[in-house]
Amino acid sequence: AQSVTQLDSQVPVFEEAPVELRCNYSSSVSVYLFWYVQYPNQGLQLLLKYLSGSTLVKGINGFEAEFNKSQTSFHLRKPSVHISDTAEYFCAVTPQTGANNLFFGTGTRLTVIP
Amino acid sequence: GAGVSQSPRYKVAKRGQDVALRCDPISGHVSLFWYQQALGQGPEFLTYFQNEAQLDKSGLPSDRFFAERPEGSVSTLKIQRTQQEDSAVYLCASSSQRVGNTEAFFGQGTRLTVV
Protein backbone atom coordinates (compact mmCIF):
# COMPACT_ATOMS: atom_id res chain seq x y z
CA ALA A 1 0.00 0.00 0.00
CA GLN A 2 1.03 3.58 -0.62
CA SER A 3 0.53 6.71 1.44
CA VAL A 4 1.68 10.30 1.14
CA THR A 5 2.14 12.77 3.99
CA GLN A 6 2.23 16.52 3.57
CA LEU A 7 2.86 17.78 7.07
CA ASP A 8 2.25 21.46 6.35
CA SER A 9 -1.37 22.21 5.55
CA GLN A 10 -0.66 25.93 5.09
CA VAL A 11 2.52 27.80 4.23
CA PRO A 12 2.53 31.61 4.14
CA VAL A 13 5.57 33.22 2.54
CA PHE A 14 6.49 36.72 1.45
CA GLU A 15 6.85 37.52 -2.22
CA GLU A 16 10.36 36.88 -3.59
CA ALA A 17 11.26 34.70 -0.61
CA PRO A 18 12.22 31.02 -1.02
CA VAL A 19 9.81 28.25 -0.14
CA GLU A 20 9.95 24.52 0.54
CA LEU A 21 6.87 22.30 0.63
CA ARG A 22 7.49 18.98 2.32
CA CYS A 23 6.36 15.55 1.13
CA ASN A 24 7.08 12.14 2.59
CA TYR A 25 5.76 8.85 1.29
CA SER A 26 5.44 5.25 2.34
CA SER A 27 5.35 2.33 -0.06
CA SER A 28 6.20 -1.35 -0.11
CA VAL A 29 7.16 -1.10 -3.80
CA SER A 30 9.08 1.35 -5.95
CA VAL A 31 7.08 4.40 -6.94
CA TYR A 32 7.05 7.32 -9.32
CA LEU A 33 6.59 10.70 -7.63
CA PHE A 34 4.72 13.83 -8.69
CA TRP A 35 3.84 17.34 -7.65
CA TYR A 36 0.58 18.87 -8.89
CA VAL A 37 -0.73 22.41 -8.46
CA GLN A 38 -4.40 23.33 -8.18
CA TYR A 39 -5.56 26.89 -8.67
CA PRO A 40 -9.02 27.88 -7.34
CA ASN A 41 -11.83 26.14 -9.18
CA GLN A 42 -9.37 24.44 -11.50
CA GLY A 43 -8.22 20.89 -12.06
CA LEU A 44 -4.78 19.58 -11.26
CA GLN A 45 -1.79 20.67 -13.31
CA LEU A 46 1.44 18.69 -13.31
CA LEU A 47 4.40 20.68 -11.96
CA LEU A 48 7.07 18.00 -12.16
CA LYS A 49 7.71 14.30 -11.77
CA TYR A 50 10.46 11.89 -10.82
CA LEU A 51 10.66 8.68 -12.80
CA SER A 52 14.35 7.74 -12.67
CA GLY A 53 17.84 9.15 -13.07
CA SER A 54 18.93 12.42 -11.49
CA THR A 55 17.26 12.90 -8.14
CA LEU A 56 16.88 16.64 -8.73
CA VAL A 57 14.06 17.36 -11.12
CA LYS A 58 13.01 20.68 -12.54
CA GLY A 59 9.48 21.58 -13.44
CA ILE A 60 7.38 24.43 -14.71
CA ASN A 61 7.17 27.90 -13.19
CA GLY A 62 10.67 27.67 -11.64
CA PHE A 63 9.87 24.82 -9.24
CA GLU A 64 12.20 21.93 -8.52
CA ALA A 65 12.09 18.88 -6.27
CA GLU A 66 14.61 16.43 -4.92
CA PHE A 67 13.96 12.73 -4.47
CA ASN A 68 15.61 11.25 -1.38
CA LYS A 69 15.12 7.51 -1.28
CA SER A 70 16.66 6.96 2.15
CA GLN A 71 14.36 9.55 3.71
CA THR A 72 11.43 8.66 1.44
CA SER A 73 10.96 12.33 0.71
CA PHE A 74 10.23 14.46 -2.34
CA HIS A 75 10.27 18.08 -1.19
CA LEU A 76 9.28 20.89 -3.55
CA ARG A 77 11.28 24.11 -3.65
CA LYS A 78 11.30 27.48 -5.36
CA PRO A 79 14.01 30.07 -4.76
CA SER A 80 11.78 33.11 -5.21
CA VAL A 81 7.98 32.98 -5.17
CA HIS A 82 5.50 35.22 -6.95
CA ILE A 83 1.97 36.23 -6.06
CA SER A 84 0.78 33.98 -8.87
CA ASP A 85 2.18 30.93 -7.06
CA THR A 86 -0.62 31.15 -4.50
CA ALA A 87 -2.42 27.82 -4.88
CA GLU A 88 -2.86 24.34 -3.42
CA TYR A 89 0.00 21.92 -4.01
CA PHE A 90 -0.38 18.15 -3.95
CA CYS A 91 2.31 15.50 -3.75
CA ALA A 92 1.40 12.13 -5.27
CA VAL A 93 2.88 8.70 -5.95
CA THR A 94 2.00 5.79 -8.17
CA PRO A 95 3.53 2.31 -8.02
CA GLN A 96 5.90 1.46 -10.86
CA THR A 97 4.08 -1.84 -11.32
CA GLY A 98 0.55 -2.88 -10.51
CA ALA A 99 -2.03 -0.22 -9.77
CA ASN A 100 -2.18 2.69 -12.20
CA ASN A 101 -3.87 5.25 -10.00
CA LEU A 102 -2.25 8.12 -8.12
CA PHE A 103 -2.15 8.32 -4.33
CA PHE A 104 -2.29 11.92 -3.13
CA GLY A 105 -1.34 13.76 0.02
CA THR A 106 -3.81 16.10 1.68
CA GLY A 107 -2.25 19.16 0.09
CA THR A 108 -0.38 22.30 1.16
CA ARG A 109 -1.94 25.70 0.71
CA LEU A 110 0.79 28.14 -0.35
CA THR A 111 -0.10 31.77 0.21
CA VAL A 112 2.29 34.39 -1.13
CA ILE A 113 2.09 37.66 0.77
CA PRO A 114 2.84 40.90 -1.11
CA GLY B 1 -10.47 18.09 -27.77
CA ALA B 2 -7.48 19.92 -26.37
CA GLY B 3 -7.95 18.71 -22.83
CA VAL B 4 -10.13 16.66 -20.50
CA SER B 5 -13.60 18.14 -20.34
CA GLN B 6 -16.06 17.57 -17.53
CA SER B 7 -19.70 18.54 -17.26
CA PRO B 8 -21.48 19.99 -15.52
CA ARG B 9 -18.97 22.16 -13.69
CA TYR B 10 -21.36 22.57 -10.77
CA LYS B 11 -24.26 20.41 -9.65
CA VAL B 12 -26.61 20.91 -6.73
CA ALA B 13 -28.71 17.88 -5.85
CA LYS B 14 -31.31 17.30 -3.22
CA ARG B 15 -30.58 14.40 -0.93
CA GLY B 16 -31.94 11.25 -2.47
CA GLN B 17 -31.64 12.41 -6.07
CA ASP B 18 -29.62 10.57 -8.70
CA VAL B 19 -26.86 12.45 -10.53
CA ALA B 20 -24.74 11.75 -13.61
CA LEU B 21 -21.35 13.34 -14.17
CA ARG B 22 -19.71 13.29 -17.58
CA CYS B 23 -16.07 13.12 -18.61
CA ASP B 24 -14.73 13.62 -22.13
CA PRO B 25 -11.10 12.46 -22.11
CA ILE B 26 -8.39 13.56 -24.49
CA SER B 27 -8.99 11.91 -27.83
CA GLY B 28 -7.20 8.58 -28.14
CA HIS B 29 -6.41 8.20 -24.46
CA VAL B 30 -6.98 4.61 -23.43
CA SER B 31 -6.85 5.08 -19.65
CA LEU B 32 -9.47 7.01 -17.70
CA PHE B 33 -9.64 7.62 -13.96
CA TRP B 34 -12.22 9.08 -11.60
CA TYR B 35 -11.21 10.69 -8.30
CA GLN B 36 -13.21 12.21 -5.46
CA GLN B 37 -11.84 15.29 -3.71
CA ALA B 38 -13.58 16.24 -0.47
CA LEU B 39 -13.20 19.78 0.85
CA GLY B 40 -9.68 20.35 2.20
CA GLN B 41 -8.49 16.91 1.13
CA GLY B 42 -6.43 15.43 -1.65
CA PRO B 43 -8.10 13.51 -4.47
CA GLU B 44 -8.94 9.89 -3.73
CA PHE B 45 -9.14 7.21 -6.38
CA LEU B 46 -12.57 5.88 -7.30
CA THR B 47 -12.26 3.79 -10.44
CA TYR B 48 -10.14 3.09 -13.54
CA PHE B 49 -10.98 2.18 -17.13
CA GLN B 50 -8.76 0.88 -19.87
CA ASN B 51 -10.75 1.52 -23.03
CA GLU B 52 -14.26 0.24 -22.19
CA ALA B 53 -13.12 -2.20 -19.52
CA GLN B 54 -13.45 -1.18 -15.90
CA LEU B 55 -10.30 -2.75 -14.50
CA ASP B 56 -10.41 -1.34 -10.99
CA LYS B 57 -13.38 -0.10 -9.00
CA SER B 58 -11.90 -0.65 -5.58
CA GLY B 59 -12.25 3.01 -4.61
CA LEU B 60 -16.00 3.32 -5.13
CA PRO B 61 -17.34 4.09 -1.64
CA SER B 62 -20.66 2.26 -1.94
CA ASP B 63 -22.91 0.44 -4.37
CA ARG B 64 -24.66 3.78 -4.99
CA PHE B 65 -21.68 4.73 -7.16
CA PHE B 66 -21.53 3.38 -10.68
CA ALA B 67 -19.26 4.28 -13.60
CA GLU B 68 -19.28 3.30 -17.24
CA ARG B 69 -17.35 3.94 -20.44
CA PRO B 70 -19.29 1.93 -23.01
CA GLU B 71 -17.42 2.93 -26.16
CA GLY B 72 -14.02 3.50 -24.64
CA SER B 73 -14.14 7.28 -24.82
CA VAL B 74 -16.72 9.31 -22.84
CA SER B 75 -17.30 8.14 -19.29
CA THR B 76 -20.17 8.76 -16.90
CA LEU B 77 -20.06 8.55 -13.13
CA LYS B 78 -23.49 7.99 -11.66
CA ILE B 79 -24.41 8.42 -8.03
CA GLN B 80 -27.76 7.08 -6.92
CA ARG B 81 -29.74 8.36 -3.92
CA THR B 82 -27.19 11.07 -3.15
CA GLN B 83 -26.22 11.71 0.46
CA GLN B 84 -24.62 14.77 2.04
CA GLU B 85 -21.31 12.93 2.39
CA ASP B 86 -21.19 12.67 -1.41
CA SER B 87 -20.58 16.42 -1.62
CA ALA B 88 -17.16 16.81 -3.20
CA VAL B 89 -15.34 17.69 -6.39
CA TYR B 90 -15.23 14.79 -8.80
CA LEU B 91 -12.15 14.81 -11.00
CA CYS B 92 -11.58 12.86 -14.18
CA ALA B 93 -8.15 12.16 -15.63
CA SER B 94 -7.00 10.46 -18.80
CA SER B 95 -3.73 9.02 -20.01
CA SER B 96 -2.36 7.54 -23.22
CA GLN B 97 -0.55 4.86 -21.23
CA ARG B 98 -1.86 1.42 -20.41
CA VAL B 99 0.58 0.75 -17.59
CA GLY B 100 2.88 2.83 -15.44
CA ASN B 101 0.69 5.92 -15.31
CA THR B 102 3.11 8.83 -15.53
CA GLU B 103 1.19 11.18 -17.82
CA ALA B 104 -2.27 11.82 -16.40
CA PHE B 105 -4.17 14.91 -17.55
CA PHE B 106 -6.95 16.18 -15.30
CA GLY B 107 -10.20 17.92 -16.08
CA GLN B 108 -11.47 20.91 -14.12
CA GLY B 109 -13.82 18.75 -12.10
CA THR B 110 -17.48 18.74 -11.21
CA ARG B 111 -18.38 20.25 -7.85
CA LEU B 112 -21.32 18.32 -6.42
CA THR B 113 -23.23 19.80 -3.51
CA VAL B 114 -25.92 17.67 -1.89
CA VAL B 115 -28.46 19.67 0.12
Side-chain angles (χ1 to χ4, degrees), chain A residues 32 34 36 38 41-46 49 51 88 90 94-96 98-107, chain B residues 9-10 31 33 35 37 40-43 45 48 50 56 91 98-104 106-109 111:
Chain A
Y32 299 124
F34 307 82
Y36 284 87
Q38 187 175 39
N41 298 316
Q42 298 290 318
L44 298 169
Q45 181 182 2
L46 181 66
K49 61 186 176 185
L51 304 182
E88 191 86 21
F90 292 96
T94 189
Q96 293 186 12
N100 278 350
N101 56 287
L102 292 160
F103 296 83
F104 288 88
T106 52
Chain B
R9 287 293 313 279
Y10 303 92
S31 292
F33 304 82
Y35 291 86
Q37 185 177 18
Q41 300 296 315
F45 170 74
Y48 163 63
Q50 190 174 104
D56 189 346
L91 294 168
R98 294 179 184 272
V99 294
N101 179 27
T102 61
E103 289 284 351
F106 283 82
Q108 292 185 305
R111 182 178 297 277

Side-chain angles (χ1 to χ4, degrees), chain B residues 21-65:
Chain B
L21 312 180
R22 178 187 170 104
C23 172
D24 278 273
I26 294 173
S27 179
H29 277 194
V30 297
S31 292
L32 185 145
F33 304 82
W34 284 98
Y35 291 86
Q36 180 190 58
Q37 185 177 18
L39 188 64
Q41 300 296 315
E44 292 193 355
F45 170 74
L46 293 176
T47 187
Y48 163 63
F49 289 87
Q50 190 174 104
N51 295 310
E52 69 280 3
Q54 190 175 21
L55 298 186
D56 189 346
K57 53 182 181 179
S58 62
L60 296 177
S62 78
D63 57 8
R64 296 186 295 104
F65 286 71

Side-chain angles (χ1 to χ4, degrees), chain A residues 68-109:
Chain A
N68 187 317
K69 188 173 183 179
S70 63
Q71 297 186 4
T72 60
S73 68
F74 191 53
H75 301 331
L76 181 70
R77 303 185 184 99
K78 187 170 183 178
S80 175
V81 296
H82 302 131
I83 296 292
S84 59
D85 293 324
T86 294
E88 191 86 21
Y89 291 79
F90 292 96
C91 182
V93 302
T94 189
Q96 293 186 12
T97 57
N100 278 350
N101 56 287
L102 292 160
F103 296 83
F104 288 88
T106 52
T108 297
R109 173 73 179 175

